[in-house]
Amino acid sequence: AQSVTQLDSHVSVSEGTPVLLRCNYSSSYSPSLFWYVQHPNKGLQLLLKYTSAATLVKGINGFEAEFKKSETSFHLTKPSAHMSDAAEYFCVVSGGSGGYNKLIFGAGTRLAVHP
Amino acid sequence: GEEVAQTPKHLVRGEGQKAKLYCAPIKGHSYVFWYQQVLKNEFKFLISFQNENVFDETGMPKERFSAKCLPNSPCSLEIQATKLEDSAVYFCASSQSVDRAFFGPGTRLTVL
């Protein structure tokens, strides 16, 4: 079975400072991992995905994440936060034996960016 | 089209009334998923389809929830006799590969 734990429910940073959103996963199989962002009253947008290729994954808007199997982590980072990054971020895992499997969402991390 | 379409955007129902939500997946995508988001966080998987066949329905409260994906029609999620706790945003997603799901904008259901 797969599960995801987002270690921080809220993260607050100043504009221009680095962002770190932490995610640990559990999976019986080789997982596919994703980060999605949800802006207020909007749908979900895919930031990046890991699907067993390069362990350092670059996404949109300057975000990147590193898959660390030994630590079962997939933390999301960005070198310099913008005000427009304020949103809810979801770490998601998918994976299983054969076929397409449902996405399992973490509880979300709310990122606040202060001027 | 290249976007998942969901209608209506907002739906208000009195407790006990029926609610029906629609989803048009991206053309060519074989998989359709429904998720329920309560209280702006917690995404709960409800059901998935592979074409018109139910693929995984482990998340469905079967007493009142039902869903269909028929050929040449939008997929639908129906809630009979809605309850207050059904108030949520319902997201539909479609996919053609294991590594990418496209989400619709959601339908906000409010049960009064």
Side-chain angles (χ1 to χ4, degrees), chain B residues 5 7 21-25 68-76:
Chain B
T7 56
L21 292 61
Y22 296 92
C23 169
K68 293 179 187 176
C69 271
L70 300 176
N72 303 313
S73 297
C75 296
S76 64

Side-chain angles (χ1 to χ4, degrees), chain A residues 34 36 38 46 88 100 103 107, chain B residues 33 35 37 41 55 97 99:
Chain A
F34 310 82
Y36 282 87
Q38 185 179 31
L46 180 67
E88 191 85 23
Y100 189 97
L103 302 178
Chain B
F33 305 80
Y35 292 86
Q37 186 185 27
N41 286 97
F55 189 72
S97 67
D99 64 346

Side-chain angles (χ1 to χ4, degrees), chain A residues 32 34 36 38 41-44 46 49 51 88 90 94 99-103 105-108 110, chain B residues 31 33 35 37 40-43 45 55-56 58 91 95 97-105 108:
Chain A
S32 293
F34 310 82
Y36 282 87
Q38 185 179 31
N41 300 312
K42 295 285 178 70
L44 286 164
L46 180 67
K49 62 184 180 184
T51 54
E88 191 85 23
F90 293 93
S94 172
Y100 189 97
N101 291 275
K102 63 193 177 193
L103 302 178
F105 283 75
R110 182 171 297 274
Chain B
Y31 293 92
F33 305 80
Y35 292 86
Q37 186 185 27
K40 294 187 179 181
N41 286 97
E42 198 182 335
F43 277 84
F45 168 78
F55 189 72
D56 181 347
T58 52
F91 287 97
S95 176
S97 67
V98 298
D99 64 346
R100 177 70 190 265
F102 292 79
F103 282 80
R108 181 177 297 277

